[in-house]
């Protein structure tokens, strides 16, 4: 029992050390702001550009004003790395933000990821405040756009859609929000979740009314390997908006971003998003089965290691215990002989008294 307790303690300590190391590594790449103005970490970690400003006592950030040609963005100051270590380990991320758009037809809002060497001077009053000329040449900019303006130049689906942009303002994947009874520019609060899983190399986008639970099925799913897109380079993340020729206003009410390191042995081949959408039930079942097999394998491996360690300790104890010295027989005391001599002495004294 003592051996098993020691093994359990060592296993728990190892897990805790690994967990603490992961937390310390991810601390600088994660943040959460439920309010903006009164948070002491806001000014240290967040930069405002263009027309962006904190309003309403810190409850929100206004990215665009109610005037034509307004643009602004809120950006996390520290670059984030998605590939680190030797061997190289990819990282997953999850971001959540709540926002609202006024009823005018403007460019709306975009979640943007750009490499650290990017020239931020090119940001301006273009679509979503993204670089001018982005539509003419490919770049390493990743954006998820919440667009309330149909622009034929970028093959927009309509004036109420969400799209994933890869190095261009022409979306590689788009979803019509009217089909899920959502409207971007009705003045109401919306909330979005954007998740990237490094193990499957898949980007997922979800959107709902503010206060609703996170949808199970993604609105958009796209296969991409961010480790190849940016390699070892740091990446800046931001929320960017512009209204171009309208008076649309955009507000951000909360924003969080979390990086999760993924062990090398969990990496797998990317999934085809089309197959994922068509066969989502079978994929979910397969994912649960894979997870169960991984957990079972880990448990069996841990049990085998524990049993091997316990057997080794018991074997060594048996060997050393068999070598203990044995007391020689001639040195041992026989209690029966001792009592016999005592009785003989008593009888001799009785005979002398009779004389």
């Amino acid at each position: 029992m003592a051996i098993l307790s020691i093994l359990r303690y060592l296993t728990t300590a190892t897990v805790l050390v690994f967990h603490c190391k992961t937390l310390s590594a991810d601390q600088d790449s994660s943040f959460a702001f439920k309010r903006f103005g009164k948070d002491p970490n806001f000014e240290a970690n967040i930069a405002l550009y263009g027309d962006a400003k904190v309003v309403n006592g810190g409850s929100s950030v206004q990215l665009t004003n109610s005037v034509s040609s307004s643009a602004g963005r809120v950006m996390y100051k520290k670059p984030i790395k998605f590939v680190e270590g030797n061997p190289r380990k990819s990282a997953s991320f999850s971001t959540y933000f709540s926002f609202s758009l006024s009823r005018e037809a403007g460019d709306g809002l975009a979640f943007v990821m750009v490499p650290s060497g990017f020239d931020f001077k090119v940001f301006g009053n273009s679509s979503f405040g993204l670089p001018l000329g982005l539509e003419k040449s490919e770049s390493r900019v990743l954006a998820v756009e919440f667009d309330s303006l149909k622009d034929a130049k970028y093959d927009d689906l309509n004036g109420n859609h969400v799209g994933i942009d890869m190095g261009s303002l022409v979306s590689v994947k788009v979803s019509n929000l009217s089909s899920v009874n959502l409207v971007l520019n009705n003045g109401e609060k919306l909330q979005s979740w954007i998740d990237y899983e490094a193990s499957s190399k898949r980007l997922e986008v979800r959107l709902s009314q503010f206060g609703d639970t996170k949808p199970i099925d993604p609105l958009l799913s796209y296969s991409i390997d961010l480790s190849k897109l940016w390699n070892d380079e740091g990446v800046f993340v931001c929320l960017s908006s512009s209204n171009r020729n309208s008076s649309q206003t955009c507000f951000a009410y909360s924003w969080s971003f979390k990086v999760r390191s993924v062990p090398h042995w969990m990496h797998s081949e990317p999934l085809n998003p089309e197959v994922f959408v068509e066969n989502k039930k079978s994929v979910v079942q397969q994912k649960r089965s894979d997870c169960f097999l991984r957990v079972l394998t880990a448990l069996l491996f841990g049990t085998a290691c524990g049993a091997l360690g316990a057997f080794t300790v018991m074997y060594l104890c048996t060997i050393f215990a068999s070598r203990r010295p044995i007391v020689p027989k001639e040195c041992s005391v026989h209690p029966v002989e001792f009592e016999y001599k005592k009785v003989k002495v008593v009888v001799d004294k009785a005979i002398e008294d009779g004389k």
Side-chain angles (χ1 to χ4, degrees):
M1 293 298 293
I3 296 174
L4 293 177
S5 299
I6 294 174
L7 291 174
R8 290 174 183 172
Y9 172 79
L10 292 175
T11 303
T12 304
T14 303
V15 173
L16 289 176
V17 170
F18 175 78
H19 181 65
C20 293
K21 184 178 180 180
T22 303
L23 288 179
S24 62
D26 295 343
Q27 187 175 7
D28 292 338
S29 302
S30 302
F31 59 88
F33 294 103
K34 294 183 178 180
R35 292 180 61 87
F36 296 102
K38 296 183 179 181
D39 194 318
N41 296 321
F42 179 76
E43 293 184 359
N45 297 322
I46 298 295
L48 301 177
Y49 295 91
D51 296 329
K53 57 186 176 182
V54 177
V55 295
N56 300 326
S59 62
S60 60
V61 171
Q62 184 175 347
L63 296 176
T64 55
N65 298 324
S66 57
V67 295
S68 178
S69 301
S70 178
R73 67 184 181 276
V74 51
M75 186 180 72
Y76 186 60
K77 292 181 180 179
K78 300 178 181 179
I80 299 169
K81 285 192 174 183
F82 290 95
V83 180
E84 284 185 325
N86 188 17
R88 292 159 57 89
K89 292 191 303 181
S90 298
S92 302
F93 77 84
S94 296
T95 186
Y96 165 85
F97 51 89
S98 57
F99 67 98
S100 67
L101 299 173
S102 63
R103 297 182 180 275
E104 294 77 16
D107 279 329
L109 177 71
F111 169 73
V112 186
M113 307 179 73
V114 297
S116 57
F118 189 80
D119 185 7
F120 293 101
K121 295 180 181 179
V122 298
F123 277 91
N125 189 28
S126 56
S127 296
F128 313 104
L130 294 178
L132 290 169
L134 182 60
E135 69 279 6
K136 298 180 181 179
S137 61
E138 292 187 358
S139 66
R140 293 181 297 148
V141 176
L142 170 64
V144 178
E145 62 175 53
F146 302 84
D147 197 349
S148 59
L149 176 67
K150 182 177 181 179
D151 195 331
K153 181 170 61 174
Y154 305 126
D155 298 327
D156 284 346
L157 182 65
N158 57 19
N160 187 40
H161 66 272
V162 174
I164 297 176
D165 302 342
M166 278 297 307
S168 170
L169 291 176
V170 178
S171 300
V172 295
K173 204 72 180 290
V174 66
S175 177
N176 181 9
L177 292 180
S178 300
S179 62
V180 291
N181 298 321
L182 289 174
V183 179
L184 288 172
N185 58 339
N186 62 359
E188 297 181 1
K189 282 186 180 182
L190 299 172
Q191 56 187 358
S192 176
W193 297 262
I194 301 175
D195 303 290
Y196 173 72
E197 291 296 335
S199 58
S200 60
K201 301 177 178 62
R202 187 174 65 251
L203 182 71
E204 294 182 346
V205 181
R206 291 171 172 82
L207 182 70
S208 74
Q209 295 285 349
F210 184 78
D212 293 347
T213 58
K214 183 178 182 179
I216 297 177
D217 297 326
L219 187 66
L220 289 174
S221 181
Y222 183 68
S223 181
I224 180 176
D225 189 353
L226 296 184
S227 64
K228 293 182 179 179
L229 181 65
W230 294 308
N231 296 320
D232 295 330
E233 190 173 1
V235 178
F236 288 107
V237 296
C238 66
L239 299 176
S240 186
S241 177
S242 69
N243 58 16
R244 282 202 275 181
N245 297 325
S246 73
S247 58
Q248 184 184 70
T249 56
C250 176
F251 291 87
Y253 301 96
S254 60
W255 186 22
S256 64
F257 189 93
K258 182 175 179 59
V259 172
R260 306 185 309 278
S261 296
V262 178
H264 182 73
W265 58 268
M266 291 185 64
H267 290 182
S268 60
E269 294 297 324
L271 299 177
N272 186 339
E274 298 296 338
V275 176
F276 177 78
V277 173
E278 294 175 0
N279 305 300
K280 58 184 179 181
K281 292 185 179 180
S282 61
V283 171
V284 170
Q285 293 176 355
Q286 183 179 1
K287 186 176 181 180
R288 292 178 179 175
S289 177
D290 292 342
C291 182
F292 174 76
L293 290 176
R294 288 174 180 173
V295 173
L296 181 60
T297 302
L299 289 176
L300 291 176
F301 180 75
T303 303
C305 291
L308 180 61
F311 175 78
T312 303
V313 173
M314 293 177 64
Y315 178 72
L316 293 175
C317 291
T318 303
I319 293 176
F320 287 109
S322 62
R323 297 181 178 179
R324 289 181 300 177
I326 301 174
V327 179
K329 291 184 178 181
E330 59 270 19
C331 297
S332 60
V333 179
H334 201 290
V336 177
E337 292 183 357
F338 177 79
E339 291 187 6
Y340 172 77
K341 291 180 180 181
K342 185 176 180 180
V343 173
K344 184 177 180 180
V345 172
V346 173
V347 173
D348 291 342
K349 288 183 179 181
I351 294 172
E352 290 178 1
D353 293 337
K355 288 182 179 181

